[in-house]
Amino acid sequence: MQGKKISRRSLLGGAAVATVALVQTSVGKVLQPIQTATPPEDPTKTVGPLPSKVGTRSPFENSVRKPSDISSRTPLQDMYSTITPADLHFERHHAGIPTIDPNKYELLIHGMVKRPMKFSLHDLKRFPAVTRTCFIECAGNFRTGKEDMTPQEILGLTSQSEWTGVMLSTLLREVGVDPKSTWFLAEGSDAAILTRSIPVSKAFDDAMIVYAQNGEAIRPAQGYPVRLLLPGWEGNTNVKWLRRLEFGDQPWMTREETSKYTYQVGEKVRQFSFEMDARSIIIYPSYPGKVEPGYIEIRGIAWSGRGKVNKVEVSTDGGKNWEIANLQEPVLSKAHTYFRYLWHWDGRQTEILSRVTDETGYIQPTLQQLKDARGPEMGGYHLNPITAWTVKRDGSVWLKPEEFKKL
Amino acid sequence: MIRWINDNFKTGIAVFTLLAVFGCGHNSQKDWPDSFGYGKTASKADIIAKDIDVRPDGVGLPKGAGRIDTGALIFAEKCAMCHGVGGKLVKGQKLPAPALVSDTNFVKRKGNTVGNYWPYATTLFDYVRRSMPYNAPGSLTNQEVYDITAYLLYANGVIKKGATINAQTLPKVVMPARKYFVNDDRRGGNEVR
């Protein structure tokens, strides 16, 4: 750059000048065209960027997560289909993201097993592999209370990926689990050394030890290099940065399954709610979008931790009448499923909502039904209520907020 | 609870057997060797280096005994900056971490603290040792963890001043909220609970 100062203004500047930037190539730093959000008037008159090592999004697209101190939410309203781009997958961690050297990584399996073993990342990748698409949802994924809330703000702690790894049952053939073992402990290597107790039945059902996400290595925020995947189960049990599995004959009653991730139901506290209950939400139209009278394709996602989505119904009259929405094939078990419903809006104020029924026959409840069933002290975990949007005469769309006290 | 675990366990074995007989679709398991031979046997040292958990029956607790007074001093020095002075919520003050101390009244509680909500005393030792303090995780000695555990149980009114907290007594501490905890028994189907 020395002796050749180029101001940002001139880089992005006049229409007659091709947009260029200093780019590192095999022959050193050279001026190359790059894509910016200030397009030339006629793209056919300007040579564009040449091939590169790693791609970027269009500068016109600015889909981003919404971070807080403890989590970061997926912009669900921006999703055209059900795979979440890995860099937009929601985050929830309890002591930051650890940096783990993949060459030093080891998974230890011990306790009630014939042969305690340790597996390197290389070892794990040699086993017969399986790829599975499923959602991961945080058990505390519900906010309401204001009209101006987006799907991201209401329930952005759910995302979907195509995960690849080895079935946990494949690894368990190597160590030989004692048939008397009923629970195992999964432990991460973050600074919280997060632990959860998991029934052994899940290990033999569909649990996976995964090292890849959407075709590439798992992102650090999602557990690089290895995480536990428990399809359909609350996000917290899908332990990231997995370092150890111990087999035993009772739950460990860790902090995450006693003082957290438990909730009052009537006069009792419910613990070990593993499966995520069926849920759906309309993501288009939604706040802060605006629509015009005429045909509107209502779009949304539905999912269940207990299996496949059986059907999604949409109401465009505040819940009086319900119509069946189209489900995008293939409908996968324990996976976000896209639904669409063509609606002709006459321009009058109304409410639109969706409700899912899963393959067990479970029907997504309203918040009032959940309150009635669990009592006034129900807390904030495992809530999956129907979400209603108000479409006003001016075409603006607003969340229909509900009364909700979080203990 | 035992029955629920056993039922689930049997279902798991049944599914596993079916998969083993018919294969998964993508893998023909009948062609698999008894062992792939990948991975190494873990030594005792490998296990000891990472096996830090403490169970409700006390397995995993080290030697030593908690001192309430010393625990109070350590708490003031290393914990109060996030969990509040004495671990208590102060009205109008937002703490960076949950308050830990109130009383033992589950029914009338305003927030979940150790005395009114935590169902197992062993969880305190396990969690403090593996995760705390937030700004220096894993820096406490076993003695310090015992001291803090004893202090928090005392401050919440769970144990009395002269109580001994060690590997034998900690699992026997009956937490006041323990009796309220029940396993989720929902299994899908057309019901809202």
Side-chain angles (χ1 to χ4, degrees):
Chain A
M1 284 269 305
Q2 275 166 354
K4 220 182 172 190
K5 275 199 172 165
I6 303 168
S7 75
R8 187 173 164 78
R9 179 182 290 266
S10 69
L11 270 177
L12 303 178
V17 183
T19 306
V20 291
L22 278 172
V23 174
Q24 180 75 46
T25 72
S26 54
V27 293
K29 280 183 179 169
V30 297
L31 286 171
Q32 271 215 0
I34 57 159
Q35 272 196 317
T36 74
T38 312
E41 249 166 54
D42 181 355
T44 69
K45 299 293 188 287
T46 305
V47 175
L50 298 176
S52 62
K53 283 187 177 170
V54 177
T56 59
R57 292 210 170 84
S58 161
F60 301 100
E61 299 297 322
N62 38 33
S63 213
V64 289
R65 287 191 295 225
K66 191 177 171 72
S68 71
D69 288 346
I70 57 165
S71 69
S72 187
R73 298 167 163 267
T74 293
L76 291 169
Q77 62 277 3
D78 299 338
M79 301 291 132
Y80 297 100
S81 59
T82 53
I83 295 288
T84 310
D87 59 358
L88 296 177
H89 193 291
F90 86 85
E91 288 179 79
R92 172 78 179 98
H93 27 82
H94 297 71
I97 302 164
T99 304
I100 297 165
D101 181 346
N103 296 314
K104 291 184 184 158
Y105 173 82
E106 269 180 359
L107 174 63
L108 173 68
I109 305 182
H110 71 111
M112 291 173 71
V113 298
K114 274 201 196 95
R115 184 187 171 204
M117 293 188 73
K118 53 184 186 176
F119 300 95
S120 68
L121 184 57
H122 175 70
D123 293 330
L124 293 176
K125 288 181 178 173
R126 291 174 79 190
F127 282 101
V130 171
T131 294
R132 175 167 193 171
T133 298
C134 62
F135 75 86
I136 295 180
E137 181 182 17
C138 177
N141 190 25
F142 174 58
R143 295 288 182 273
T144 185
K146 293 187 297 180
E147 275 194 309
D148 55 345
M149 291 179 76
T150 64
Q152 181 171 24
E153 290 165 329
I154 299 162
L155 47 55
L157 299 176
T158 186
S159 307
Q160 176 145 290
S161 303
E162 186 194 76
W163 302 98
T164 300
V166 51
M167 297 302 293
L168 178 51
S169 58
T170 300
L171 294 184
L172 298 187
R173 294 168 83 251
E174 303 292 319
V175 299
V177 176
D178 185 333
K180 292 198 190 82
S181 175
T182 46
W183 290 80
F184 71 93
L185 183 77
E187 184 176 85
S189 48
D190 57 333
I193 321 183
L194 186 141
T195 42
R196 285 297 302 258
S197 307
I198 310 293
V200 167
S201 55
K202 186 69 172 173
F204 287 109
D205 179 9
D206 59 2
M208 291 174 70
I209 304 294
V210 295
Y211 42 77
Q213 178 183 12
N214 300 347
E216 62 175 347
I218 291 182
R219 297 271 168 144
Q222 303 313 321
Y224 183 87
V226 171
R227 85 179 300 169
L228 179 63
L229 182 73
L230 303 179
W233 284 24
E234 63 178 12
N236 185 260
T237 64
N238 292 253
V239 176
K240 296 183 278 192
W241 316 292
L242 188 68
R243 73 171 195 178
R244 185 168 76 96
L245 302 176
E246 179 174 356
F247 284 78
D249 57 5
Q250 57 178 272
W252 276 256
M253 298 300 179
T254 71
R255 181 253 196 181
E256 304 297 327
E257 58 211 18
T258 54
S259 89
K260 301 288 174 186
Y261 300 95
T262 54
Y263 52 103
Q264 193 165 338
V265 175
E267 289 166 358
K268 298 286 184 182
V269 176
R270 188 180 280 161
Q271 66 185 2
F272 296 123
S273 281
F274 291 120
E275 284 136 330
M276 297 305 293
D277 298 316
R279 193 168 189 183
S280 72
I281 185 171
I282 292 169
I283 58 173
Y284 177 84
S286 65
Y287 177 82
K290 218 165 175 188
V291 290
E292 292 166 46
Y295 283 104
I296 295 170
E297 186 176 67
I298 292 175
R299 298 166 183 160
I301 49 170
W303 63 99
S304 169
R306 291 198 171 84
K308 288 183 182 180
V309 166
N310 189 21
K311 68 175 175 186
V312 175
E313 296 162 288
V314 168
S315 172
T316 57
D317 58 6
K320 287 187 205 79
N321 295 287
W322 294 87
E323 302 288 339
I324 299 284
N326 292 320
L327 301 182
Q328 175 64 57
E329 295 287 342
V331 176
L332 301 173
S333 183
K334 304 173 185 178
H336 282 173
T337 301
Y338 217 88
F339 65 86
R340 301 181 180 93
Y341 174 76
L342 191 61
W343 174 41
H344 190 270
W345 182 41
D346 60 12
R348 276 185 286 200
Q349 177 161 331
T350 189
E351 277 170 27
I352 57 172
L353 9 75
S354 66
R355 80 176 169 208
V356 60
T357 304
D358 74 12
E359 67 175 320
T360 74
Y362 176 85
I363 303 166
Q364 184 183 9
T366 60
L367 187 59
Q368 191 57 51
Q369 279 178 291
L370 287 165
K371 283 180 188 168
D372 292 346
R374 296 183 186 176
E377 308 295 331
M378 71 178 177
Y381 290 117
H382 289 275
L383 296 175
N384 58 325
I386 289 172
T387 302
W389 300 101
T390 303
V391 183
K392 294 192 176 166
R393 289 182 64 91
D394 65 357
S396 61
V397 185
W398 305 85
L399 174 66
K400 187 185 181 193
E402 297 186 81
E403 290 255 335
F404 172 61
K405 179 192 86 162
K406 196 182 166 212
L407 185 70
Chain B
M1 176 163 149
I2 297 298
R3 192 169 155 203
W4 172 66
I5 294 161
N6 285 341
D7 286 354
N8 268 291
F9 183 62
K10 279 176 199 154
T11 313
I13 291 294
V15 170
F16 182 56
T17 311
L18 280 175
L19 289 176
V21 173
F22 298 110
C24 280
H26 23 63
N27 269 313
S28 178
Q29 292 198 356
K30 65 179 161 41
D31 298 335
W32 286 16
D34 289 341
S35 166
F36 287 94
Y38 313 147
K40 291 183 185 139
T41 301
S43 68
K44 276 210 170 117
D46 290 331
I47 296 168
I48 288 167
K50 288 180 181 158
D51 187 6
I52 57 167
D53 57 77
V54 173
R55 297 200 314 192
D57 60 5
V59 170
L61 281 170
K63 283 180 190 155
R67 299 160 301 181
I68 292 167
D69 291 347
T70 315
L73 295 175
I74 300 169
F75 189 90
E77 187 194 336
K78 299 187 173 180
C79 317
M81 66 184 94
C82 292
H83 293 288
V85 175
K88 283 181 183 164
L89 201 64
V90 179
K91 253 198 174 168
Q93 193 187 342
K94 195 174 185 283
L95 295 171
L100 299 172
V101 175
S102 61
D103 53 25
T104 56
N105 195 330
F106 169 83
V107 175
K108 290 189 175 161
R109 74 196 191 283
K110 293 277 189 288
N112 297 341
T113 54
V114 172
N116 68 23
Y117 197 78
W118 286 45
Y120 296 91
T122 48
T123 309
L124 254 185
F125 189 98
D126 177 87
Y127 182 68
V128 171
R129 181 164 70 168
R130 72 174 58 245
S131 305
M132 290 291 124
Y134 186 82
N135 59 353
S139 64
L140 300 172
T141 63
N142 285 339
Q143 182 59 52
E144 287 176 308
V145 177
Y146 262 130
D147 293 340
I148 291 169
T149 302
Y151 166 67
L152 285 174
L153 290 173
Y154 169 73
N156 275 282
V158 177
I159 60 170
K160 294 206 168 77
K161 190 89 191 173
T164 305
I165 288 299
N166 60 29
Q168 284 70 48
T169 58
L170 187 62
K172 293 193 183 121
V173 172
V174 177
M175 298 299 277
R178 164 84 178 276
K179 59 184 176 219
Y180 297 105
F181 281 70
V182 292
N183 283 335
D184 190 352
D185 61 353
R186 296 172 305 146
R187 296 291 173 264
N190 186 14
E191 60 171 1
V192 175
R193 283 202 292 141

